[in-house]
């Protein structure tokens, strides 16, 4: 008698041959994995055994990320969505992806345990990119980080929201938090603190309101969508995204990474491709006393 695993394998083969569909192997990838496959990524630094990336559907991953936000936060949402999508893709490394414990990414919510440092969405993207073969990791990560810095988010268009199943949260009086209430903002930074603060200022919702959680769930979905978009483009050799803020050229003319020693040191070295003037004023604006010089941060925030 044919056992369940043999039957599933035969059905998967029949489905691919007869219909050309990728749906059957995607559904059957998990049952075909023993659960004991080693990830085999390595633990000695640069000798990592990368896992094969294959083209995914950005909107499918975005929907998974939106749902994942509720279970483990922004970093988990992005990481879990792409890893599980690759595990379900029915290819040579599917079982290695399935063996990755995506709960490892829950630490990143709220900018790492709520500290407001790097946004968990981009933190997750970088961790996923680092696992993948067949793509340009530097170009994809820079494209995604730059997207996060410069883009109005969440995107708020009805087609995207409908596709990911958003919104799901409500105001205190029970009003569904539609896009016109959530609003948009540009982070100008990859820091959770900056991103959420500027959104709160734009929307006038407090950062502990359900609106903030709806906003961050949608941003989680959007970052997952763009991550897959850039990964697909890198795989195809068509990635042509802005990798560095144009305004940085003025700054890096003097402030760039050097190998100077103290006797040749000229000015502050900077080792970053992130947008400078989201945190640093230009030289012609840096003089004078700040408006709130007499106050501490805690007086208002």
């Amino acid at each position: 008698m044919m056992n369940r695993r043999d039957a599933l394998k035969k059905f998967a083969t029949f489905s691919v041959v007869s219909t050309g569909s990728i749906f059957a192997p995607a559904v059957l990838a998990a049952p075909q994995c023993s659960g004991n496959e080693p990830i085999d990524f390595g633990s000695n630094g640069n000798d990592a055994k990368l896992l094969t990336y294959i083209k995914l559907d950005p909107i499918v991953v975005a929907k998974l990320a939106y749902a994942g936000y509720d279970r483990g936060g922004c970093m988990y949402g992005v990481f879990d969505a792409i890893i599980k999508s690759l595990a379900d893709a029915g290819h040579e490394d599917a079982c290695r992806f399935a063996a990755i414990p995506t709960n490892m990414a829950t630490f990143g919510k709220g900018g790492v345990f709520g500290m407001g440092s790097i946004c968990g969405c981009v933190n997750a993207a970088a961790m996923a990119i680092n696992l993948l073969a067949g793509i340009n990791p530097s170009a994809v990560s820079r494209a995604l980080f730059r997207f996060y810095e410069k883009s109005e988010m969440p995107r708020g268009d009805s087609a995207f929201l409908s596709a990911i199943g958003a919104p799901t949260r409500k105001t205190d009086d029970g009003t569904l938090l539609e896009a016109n209430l959530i609003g948009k903002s540009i982070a100008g930074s990859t820091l959770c603190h900056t991103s959420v603060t500027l959104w709160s200022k734009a929307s006038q919702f407090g950062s502990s309101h359900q609106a903030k959680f709806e906003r961050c769930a949608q941003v989680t979905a959007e970052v997952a969508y763009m991550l897959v978009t850039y990964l697909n483009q890198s795989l195809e050799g068509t990635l042509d995204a802005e990798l560095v803020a144009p305004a940085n050229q003025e700054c890096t003319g003097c402030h760039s990474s050097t190998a100077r020693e103290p006797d040749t040191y000229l000015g502050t070295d900077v080792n970053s491709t992130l947008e400078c003037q989201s945190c640093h004023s230009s030289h012609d604006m840096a003089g004078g006393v700040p408006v709130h010089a007499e106050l501490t941060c805690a007086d208002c925030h």
Side-chain angles (χ1 to χ4, degrees):
M1 180 178 291
M2 185 182 298
N3 63 32
R4 180 175 179 270
R5 177 168 293 180
D6 289 338
L8 289 172
K9 288 180 179 178
K10 284 185 176 292
F11 180 75
T13 302
F14 173 76
S15 299
V16 173
V17 171
S18 62
T19 67
S21 170
I22 63 169
F23 180 73
V27 171
L28 299 174
Q32 290 177 2
C33 298
S34 70
N36 298 317
E37 290 83 358
I39 301 170
D40 201 26
F41 184 67
S43 57
N44 290 311
N46 291 329
D47 68 345
K49 297 179 180 178
L50 301 178
L51 284 67
T52 302
Y53 177 77
I54 65 169
K55 191 173 181 180
L56 298 174
D57 183 339
I59 202 67
V60 170
V61 179
K63 184 175 182 179
L64 291 173
Y66 180 77
Y69 175 86
D70 280 346
R71 300 195 304 274
C74 51
M75 184 172 180
Y76 169 85
V78 172
F79 190 69
D80 181 73
I82 190 166
I83 295 301
K84 286 184 177 174
S85 293
L86 287 165
D88 287 344
H91 63 104
E92 62 189 40
D93 280 335
C95 291
R96 293 174 69 194
F97 281 112
I100 295 173
T102 57
N103 276 359
M104 71 170 65
T106 58
F107 75 87
K109 60 186 174 183
V112 183
F113 295 121
M115 291 188 290
S117 62
I118 185 170
C119 172
C121 297
V122 292
N123 203 352
M127 187 159 71
I129 290 165
N130 189 51
L131 294 169
L132 303 176
I135 53 97
N136 182 328
S138 177
V140 174
S141 59
R142 290 188 182 200
L144 187 75
F145 277 51
R146 186 71 192 114
F147 170 83
Y148 188 97
E149 283 186 314
K150 71 176 183 177
S151 301
E152 280 193 320
M153 292 190 292
R155 62 198 299 160
D157 66 83
S158 57
F160 183 78
L161 294 177
S162 177
I164 65 172
T168 56
R169 296 165 181 82
K170 298 178 180 180
T171 62
D172 293 344
D173 66 4
T175 302
L176 193 64
L177 284 160
E178 301 280 6
N180 62 312
L181 292 177
I182 291 291
K184 299 179 181 182
S185 60
I186 299 174
S189 168
T190 56
L191 293 179
C192 170
H193 160 68
T194 308
S195 181
V196 172
T197 299
L198 292 178
W199 168 80
S200 183
K201 180 179 179 181
S203 69
Q204 298 187 2
F205 279 109
S207 60
S208 294
H209 192 277
Q210 284 297 306
K212 181 268 183 184
F213 302 118
E214 181 62 38
R215 175 262 182 190
C216 286
Q218 291 183 24
V219 169
T220 299
E222 188 165 353
V223 171
Y225 180 93
M226 293 307 303
L227 170 59
V228 173
T229 298
Y230 291 141
L231 285 170
N232 289 347
Q233 290 173 353
S234 183
L235 190 66
E236 297 165 350
T238 60
L239 179 58
D240 183 24
E242 184 176 275
L243 305 184
V244 180
N248 282 9
Q249 293 178 2
E250 181 181 354
C251 304
T252 55
C254 298
H255 303 285
S256 58
S257 179
T258 72
R260 295 187 184 110
E261 292 194 349
D263 58 344
T264 59
Y265 194 78
L266 298 177
T268 304
D269 268 27
V270 173
N271 186 20
S272 175
T273 61
L274 301 179
E275 189 162 334
C276 302
Q277 293 189 25
S278 59
C279 295
H280 300 280
S281 298
S282 58
H283 282 232
D284 59 352
M285 296 175 61
V289 178
V291 175
H292 300 301
E294 74 282 5
L295 302 176
T296 66
C297 301
D299 288 325
C300 297
H301 302 287

